[in-house]
Amino acid sequence: MTTLPKRVDDNTALSNESIREAEEIFNSHLKRVGLKHTEQRDAILRTFLETHEHLSTEELHRLVKRSDPRIGFTTVYRTLKLLAECGLASGVAFHDGVTRYEHQYNRRSHHHMVCTECGSSVEFFSPEIEKVERDIGQKHHYVTTRNTFQVYGICERCQKKKHIKRELH
């Protein structure tokens, strides 16, 4: 399993007030789609918001089971989908084909550069990309709410490894 680096955040932790606000957004969404508010969903949301990693469903499931071993994988999977629907989470596909999720509540928009060799990633901020999003939205009469932008390439460490390997042959 590739361990991805911690995310780049403006704030290292969400305040209790921010967590309550995120819970309100989530609970309003649940009500809107006709689903019940449950303690298990609350536990998944809180665990998710407290992390600063890009988490696969399996990784979040492992973390959640520490606080409540009764929570099943399917519940975590479905809850992540609900969190994405209401804008509290977004999925990011890295080089290994596994979708990982990161929380989006009160976060600056950011983007990812992903190494196709080792899977490492770098988060970066780009006002230019944000401007392109707004311009495209205006051109097509959309109010944009978010975007995903990923750049794939080979990191410096892997480039050096390849260079070294080439010299040996």
Side-chain angles (χ1 to χ4, degrees), residues 64-156:
V64 167
K65 283 183 72 84
R66 292 179 190 165
S67 63
D68 186 346
R70 300 168 298 156
I71 296 176
F73 177 83
T74 303
T75 303
V76 173
Y77 175 82
R78 289 179 180 157
T79 302
L80 271 174
K81 295 293 184 195
L82 291 165
L83 292 172
E85 285 174 12
C86 68
L88 293 174
S90 65
V92 181
F94 288 100
H95 80 296
D96 58 3
V98 175
T99 299
R100 289 183 173 77
Y101 293 85
E102 57 184 350
H103 74 78
Q104 295 299 328
Y105 188 67
N106 281 344
R107 287 206 67 212
R108 267 174 73 189
S109 181
H110 66 281
H111 313 286
H112 300 94
M113 183 164 297
V114 181
C115 179
T116 56
E117 299 288 318
C118 70
S120 67
S121 70
V122 174
E123 291 188 345
F124 64 94
F125 301 101
S126 173
E128 295 84 6
I129 293 172
E130 305 312 312
K131 182 181 180 331
V132 168
E133 175 190 356
R134 285 189 306 276
D135 292 349
I136 291 170
Q138 287 176 348
K139 180 180 178 182
H140 297 283
H141 308 288
Y142 275 68
V143 174
T144 59
T145 56
R146 63 181 175 267
N147 69 69
T148 59
F149 183 74
Q150 293 174 168
V151 178
Y152 296 92
I154 301 173
C155 71
E156 185 176 21

